[in-house]
Amino acid sequence: MDHRIRRVAAIHDLSGFGRASLTAIIPTLSSMGVQVCPLPTAILSNHTGGFEHYSFVDLTDTMEDYIDHWKRLGLTFDCLYSGFLGSERQIEIVGRFIDHFGTADNLTVVDPVMGDNGRLYSTMGPAMVGEMRRLIGKADMITPNFTEAALLLGESYRDRISDEEIRDWLRRLSAMGPSTVVITSVPGVRLPGQETGMDTHVIAYDRRGDVFWKTGCRYIPAAYPGTGDTFTSVVIGGLLQGDSLPVAIDRGVQFISQCIRASYGFDYPKREGVLLERELDILRLPVLTGGFEML
Ligand code: PXL
């Protein structure tokens, strides 16, 4: 009998408060039956989305020794998954990590965490954008949000985009390396008089089949930090269970929508993130899809 549990190397920061990065990724993937091995990039008292103050310890200098021990242990991973990086210098280290631990069979996912809502996060400088462009060249799949996709492409941020333009963005991002590109928080086209009730979409491109997938959810006027990390974790958990790409992104969108709906009715600061702990059990249910279409 095979005792093997799927294993992910998770290269992200540990933020002590606010349900982002590792504190969202570990419970999400664990609930989907996946082992998470964290390679921390930085330690923060709390994430930077919506909090003015935070302590920040950059772990760049510890990472290489940490990785050397993993090499000595002969560890292998079904997925390499990087996200928030603490310094530009870490890109070189993460690149070498992917060169060593990446294989033809495992999945390398780079979530180019840099900003949201048209702005860079406060720990990120413009140099990070250039470095991140290099790192995505090593990925099989990337999951930028709409802001990060624009930054990677050198496009200006906008609050609407046509189907034709977003297809062009996806193709251009894929030409930078990854065969699969998933862009989240893509604004839907606003119809006159529909300033609210607008849909937001996740749009994916699979270069091998030259196919685009679109799945959406109803717009809720609330942004909770950390939902991008949870979304990508659900997609990875789905793919490692054998989901197709559209089923995996649909699973991610449904889960995030459910988390937001379960949280929105409560009056607490959005910066604390969605009430993930209330919803994790859903991840063990068989997936019921139906929300995706070809674009
Ligand atoms: O969820 C992305 C993220 C990760 N890590 C840190 C952050 C953020 C978003 O604000 O601040 C430290």
Side-chain angles (χ1 to χ4, degrees):
M1 284 280 266
D2 186 2
H3 70 287
R4 241 173 64 72
I5 298 270
R6 300 269 168 185
R7 187 187 289 156
V8 174
I11 312 170
H12 302 258
D13 68 284
L14 177 69
S15 284
F17 186 71
R19 299 188 183 92
S21 45
L22 286 173
T23 61
I25 291 160
I26 296 172
T28 302
L29 278 164
S30 297
S31 297
M32 296 180 84
V34 176
Q35 179 189 7
V36 181
C37 302
L39 166 49
T41 58
I43 297 183
L44 291 86
S45 51
N46 45 274
H47 65 69
T48 66
F51 294 97
E52 242 177 88
H53 303 286
Y54 49 86
S55 68
F56 181 97
V57 179
D58 173 2
L59 295 180
T60 307
D61 290 334
T62 69
M63 286 172 74
E64 279 175 301
D65 186 44
Y66 194 112
I67 294 167
D68 280 345
H69 281 83
W70 280 10
K71 287 183 184 167
R72 227 169 282 156
L73 288 170
L75 297 185
T76 58
F77 299 98
D78 300 290
C79 175
L80 318 177
Y81 167 27
S82 77
F84 179 98
L85 302 180
S87 71
E88 288 101 50
R89 224 167 26 98
Q90 283 182 10
I91 303 252
E92 194 65 40
I93 297 172
V94 176
R96 282 203 300 274
F97 182 88
I98 293 172
D99 291 341
H100 182 88
F101 288 99
T103 68
D105 298 325
N106 66 11
L107 177 70
T108 298
V109 179
V110 172
D111 187 359
V113 173
M114 293 185 290
D116 205 358
N117 301 310
R119 296 181 51 199
L120 283 171
Y121 294 133
S122 56
T123 59
M124 302 283 164
M128 187 59 102
V129 181
E131 291 299 305
M132 203 57 97
R133 285 190 188 121
R134 290 204 298 134
L135 188 61
I136 65 168
K138 293 184 181 284
D140 301 314
M141 176 166 101
I142 60 170
T143 58
N145 61 31
F146 190 63
T147 300
E148 291 153 351
L151 286 166
L152 289 168
L153 291 170
E155 294 280 352
S156 55
Y157 184 75
R158 59 200 73 181
D159 63 4
R160 58 194 300 168
I161 190 162
S162 68
D163 286 355
E164 204 179 310
E165 276 176 298
I166 197 74
R167 273 196 291 262
D168 176 60
W169 282 28
L170 286 155
R171 278 213 173 90
R172 282 162 55 205
L173 286 168
S174 178
M176 293 163 82
S179 56
T180 302
V181 178
V182 180
I183 306 184
T184 59
S185 311
V186 179
V189 174
R190 278 186 220 186
L191 300 174
Q194 276 195 341
E195 272 68 36
T196 60
M198 168 182 88
D199 284 346
T200 119
H201 295 115
V202 171
I203 305 192
Y205 176 56
D206 178 357
R207 190 176 65 216
R208 283 158 304 188
D210 194 30
V211 60
F212 296 89
W213 301 102
K214 173 176 178 174
T215 179
C217 58
R218 297 296 289 279
Y219 179 70
I220 298 176
Y224 294 86
T227 47
D229 301 317
T230 303
F231 170 80
T232 301
S233 301
V234 176
V235 172
I236 288 172
L239 292 174
L240 292 180
Q241 286 173 26
D243 283 357
S244 67
L245 176 64
V247 169
I249 61 170
D250 197 25
R251 207 195 265 264
V253 168
Q254 284 187 35
F255 184 66
I256 296 302
S257 305
Q258 172 63 28
C259 285
I260 292 176
R261 282 172 198 287
S263 307
Y264 187 59
F266 292 107
D267 183 22
Y268 71 96
K270 304 278 179 287
R271 66 188 190 180
E272 293 183 17
V274 290
L275 303 177
L276 186 62
E277 299 79 3
R278 293 180 80 96
E279 303 304 314
L280 285 171
D281 283 354
I282 299 171
L283 293 170
R284 296 187 186 276
L285 299 175
V287 65
L288 292 173
T289 60
F292 64 81
E293 56 189 73
M294 272 178 148
L295 179 72

